[in-house]
Amino acid sequence: EVQLVESGGGLVQPGGSLRLSCAASGFTFGSIWMAWFRQAPGKEREGVAVLSINGRTAYVDSVKGRFTISQDIAKSTLYLQMNSLKPEDTAMYYCAAAFTGGDWRARATFRYWGQGTEVTVSS
């Protein structure tokens, strides 16, 4: 059974940083694409960053230069380092695994999901 458990969310001031973690189990970590998504209240869930099986990364334009996706294969953990946070980054952040094809930014393109961790950026 695939399990994804996110952690690291919280309240942070604008300009601050957070590192989200996603502990994975139930599959060979590093063998499938993984991604971070977010969903703000009243909005669609959107892809934020993706990591392919060959280590290539991609980001949605709104977070380029501020967010970094990475993984520790030995720990079966995916990370999202978020710097220079803005109020518009406030959302529930989800870890996703197993890309099925198409536009990675679309929710339907990933098979497995965690329960999410909440990030609030506010002064």
Side-chain angles (χ1 to χ4, degrees):
E1 178 187 6
V2 173
Q3 287 193 325
L4 302 171
V5 180
E6 302 95 334
S7 62
L11 173 64
V12 63
Q13 293 186 342
S17 297
L18 281 175
R19 188 177 79 159
L20 306 183
S21 299
C22 171
S25 61
F27 62 96
T28 302
F29 194 83
S31 67
I32 59 176
W33 287 46
M34 297 194 70
W36 286 98
F37 281 68
R38 67 184 178 187
Q39 188 167 13
K43 294 190 176 181
E44 294 291 320
R45 191 172 299 187
E46 64 168 352
V48 173
V50 67
L51 178 65
S52 72
I53 57 174
N54 62 8
R56 295 184 67 178
T57 60
Y59 301 88
V60 68
D61 285 348
S62 60
V63 308
K64 283 180 181 177
R66 300 189 298 122
F67 290 13
T68 302
I69 188 171
S70 63
Q71 64 182 358
D72 186 330
I73 293 178
K75 295 183 178 179
S76 296
T77 301
L78 182 74
Y79 301 102
L80 184 67
Q81 178 66 44
M82 306 187 296
N83 299 327
S84 302
L85 283 161
K86 305 175 181 181
E88 51 263 44
D89 295 317
T90 294
M92 186 72 79
Y93 283 72
Y94 298 90
C95 176
F99 178 58
T100 59
D103 184 349
W104 69 266
R105 296 166 296 179
R107 178 178 183 170
T109 61
F110 280 84
R111 182 173 300 169
Y112 302 111
W113 294 88
Q115 293 301 305
T117 185
E118 190 167 6
V119 172
T120 302
V121 184
S122 174
S123 55

